[in-house]
């Protein structure tokens, strides 16, 4: 999936800021997956040891790649160990900005733009200023923006700081299957909707559209007989799929032309998505207003008017899903996370959860 073209190193396009830059070179969308791969680990082998209070997770609610890190942090109870910085839903060609905070500055890092933390790491940083990013508060510099590794490390390297009853999101007995499912979901679904939305030709779009719906039909069949993607508990695989599904009808169906049918018209996937949405740690991190503002405003090449649609109706997200009949134990031998921390609650007007 890596793009080594010169275009991929140009951070001037505002669409290059969401979970990894992309290039539409020729006809096909390609995501640049070259990240800062430094890791925060228990043994500190990269120079950044796990340490409660030292790091800040900067993750916009609007971005699906960042949303998954917010979910995992909450499921594992890492709120007191890793603080959360929340940029607003839109950004310009330079960077995500902290326009939701008083004075337009992150209250911990003291910066207006996430770009400042990247430039503290590398004054000539050449790629997109992406979220999620983990920032070292002792230096103000980004440690990593490798979104896939970030959540895996939260589950494995930060175990000493997990809450009592935290679920095992990467169970060793299912690790190979989780990795296999994650790979297909990433290439065909998480990234597949973008491949449709930013296709440069009809041929590229038709190919992307077929691939996306082949994968969604596979998931519909898989989830028709089991409550979760792997095993009988929530895993990393469910987190990764959820953040695309929760945006599907609100954005991808129309904005990205993924319109064979709506998620709400796929019985198993729709029930599965509602099941997760109603599970503490999932829906309570989702801000539909910010999601729509991000895609419809920032993607000016797709939506030059900048008009944000009023729909869809969100009330269906809190209707009964019936997935309990399939069995399963959402948190395994653990427990649900407690109430959302003060200062991290989604605006009640932006979600059907009240």
């Amino acid at each position: 999936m890596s793009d080594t073209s010169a275009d991929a190193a140009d951070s001037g396009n505002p669409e290059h800021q969401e979970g990894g830059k992309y290039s539409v070179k020729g006809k096909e969308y390609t995501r640049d997956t070259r990240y800062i791969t430094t890791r925060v680990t228990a043994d500190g082998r990269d120079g950044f040891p796990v340490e409660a209070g030292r790091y800040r997770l900067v993750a916009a609610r609007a971005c699906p790649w960042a949303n998954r890190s917010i979910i995992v942090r909450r499921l594992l109870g890492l709120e007191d160990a890793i603080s959360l910085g929340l940029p607003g839903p839109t950004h310009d060609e330079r960077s995500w900005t902290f326009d939701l905070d008083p004075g337009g500055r992150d209250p911990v890092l003291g910066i207006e733009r996430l770009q400042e933390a990247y430039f503290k790491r590398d004054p000539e940083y050449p790629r997109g200023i992406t979220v999620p990013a983990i920032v070292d508060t002792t230096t103000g510099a980004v440690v990593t923006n490798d979104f896939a590794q970030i959540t895996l490390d939260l589950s494995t390297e930060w175990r000493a700081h997990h809450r009592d009853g935290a679920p095992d999101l990467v169970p060793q007995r299912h690790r190979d299957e989780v990795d296999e499912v994650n790979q297909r979901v990433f290439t065909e679904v998480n990234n597949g909707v973008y491949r449709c939305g930013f296709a440069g030709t009809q041929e590229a779009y038709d190919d992307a559209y077929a691939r996306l719906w082949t994968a969604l039909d596979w998931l519909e069949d898989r989830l028709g007989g089991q409550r979760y993607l792997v095993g009988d508990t929530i895993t990393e695989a469910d987190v990764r799929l959820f953040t695309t599904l929760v945006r599907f009808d609100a954005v991808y169906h129309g904005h990205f032309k993924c319109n064979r049918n709506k998620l709400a018209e796929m019985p198993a996937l729709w029930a599965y998505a509602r099941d997760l949405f109603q599970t503490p740690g999932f829906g309570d991190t989702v801000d539909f207003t910010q999601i729509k503002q991000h895609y419809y405003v920032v993607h000016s090449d797709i939506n030059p008017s900048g008009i944000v649609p009023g729909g869809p109706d969100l009330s269906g997200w809190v209707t009964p899903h019936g997935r309990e009949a399939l069995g399963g134990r959402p948190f395994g031998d653990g427990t649900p996370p407690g109430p959302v921390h003060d200062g991290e609650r989604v605006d009640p007007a932006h979600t059907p959860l009240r």
Side-chain angles (χ1 to χ4, degrees):
M1 296 297 297
S2 179
D3 181 358
T4 58
S5 72
D7 288 355
D10 175 11
S11 60
N13 191 317
E15 285 80 48
H16 288 175
Q17 315 300 323
E18 187 183 316
K21 292 161 45 184
Y22 66 80
S23 172
V24 185
K25 195 170 184 67
K27 65 177 183 176
E28 184 177 342
Y29 165 100
T30 305
R31 182 173 297 277
D32 180 3
T33 55
R34 296 172 297 167
Y35 299 100
I36 301 173
T37 57
T38 308
R39 293 171 61 189
V40 179
T41 58
D43 63 8
R45 57 186 176 272
D46 286 355
F48 295 96
V50 165
E51 181 182 332
R54 176 173 172 176
Y55 304 99
R56 187 160 178 80
L57 172 66
V58 178
R61 293 193 189 278
C63 169
W65 320 92
N67 190 181
R68 67 173 61 168
S69 66
I70 299 173
I71 292 171
V72 169
R73 171 180 173 271
R74 173 150 162 65
L75 292 176
L76 299 177
L78 289 169
E79 293 96 331
D80 291 333
I82 307 171
S83 65
L84 178 65
L86 293 167
T90 62
H91 54 71
D92 59 20
E93 69 280 358
R94 290 172 57 194
S95 178
W96 293 90
T97 56
F98 294 98
D99 47 287
L100 301 178
D101 292 310
R105 289 184 177 274
D106 180 88
V108 172
L109 301 174
I111 58 177
E112 295 179 335
R113 295 175 174 275
L114 181 56
Q115 183 185 57
E116 297 173 54
Y118 276 80
F119 285 173
K120 282 197 174 180
R121 168 72 183 245
D122 178 358
E124 297 181 358
Y125 184 74
R127 304 188 187 113
I129 308 301
T130 64
V131 290
I134 290 182
V135 180
D136 182 355
T137 63
T138 67
T139 64
V142 167
V143 176
T144 180
N145 65 340
D146 188 346
F147 70 88
Q149 192 63 51
I150 285 172
T151 53
L152 293 174
D153 283 346
L154 293 181
S155 285
T156 56
E157 301 294 330
W158 286 80
R159 288 187 187 276
H161 299 281
H162 288 184
R163 65 178 176 86
D164 292 339
D168 184 357
L169 299 178
V170 284
Q172 193 57 43
R173 67 187 182 282
H174 293 306
R175 183 62 190 269
D176 289 345
E177 187 177 6
V178 167
D179 289 346
E180 180 182 350
V181 170
N182 280 346
Q183 181 61 26
R184 184 169 184 181
V185 167
F186 170 73
T187 58
E188 305 304 301
V189 181
N190 300 147
N191 205 42
V193 293
Y194 286 83
R195 195 181 293 113
C196 288
F198 292 106
T201 66
Q202 187 69 49
E203 180 184 5
Y205 168 76
D206 290 344
D207 178 68
Y209 182 92
R211 287 177 60 179
L212 171 66
W213 287 104
T214 295
L216 288 173
D217 286 340
W218 167 71
L219 288 164
E220 175 75 5
D221 182 66
R222 183 182 183 97
L223 291 165
Q226 62 190 64
R227 190 170 179 183
Y228 303 111
L229 279 174
V230 179
D232 66 348
T233 64
I234 291 168
T235 66
E236 172 88 10
D238 299 296
V239 176
R240 294 190 182 199
L241 177 58
F242 172 79
T243 58
T244 295
L245 296 183
V246 81
R247 288 160 174 76
F248 198 89
D249 288 359
V251 176
Y252 303 143
H253 177 269
H255 184 60
F256 278 177
K257 306 180 185 69
C258 302
N259 61 352
R260 190 192 76 179
N261 48 259
K262 296 178 180 178
L263 176 67
E265 296 167 345
M266 302 188 76
L269 272 171
W270 176 226
Y272 165 82
R274 294 188 340 263
D275 186 4
L276 290 177
F277 185 83
Q278 294 169 34
T279 299
F282 285 85
D284 52 31
T285 72
V286 174
D287 189 315
F288 283 104
T289 298
Q290 288 194 25
I291 288 169
K292 292 195 299 181
Q293 287 173 343
H294 172 71
Y295 285 93
Y296 286 101
V297 173
V298 171
H299 296 165
S300 57
D301 48 349
I302 297 178
N303 186 43
S305 71
I307 294 172
V308 180
D313 179 10
L314 300 176
S315 60
W317 282 101
V318 291
T319 58
H321 51 75
R323 298 283 289 180
E324 304 93 338
L326 294 173
R329 302 172 299 141
F331 299 97
D333 295 329
T335 58
V340 179
H341 281 210
D342 291 342
E344 296 187 8
R345 295 187 179 90
V346 174
D347 186 332
H350 296 181
T351 175
L353 291 172
R354 297 289 191 267

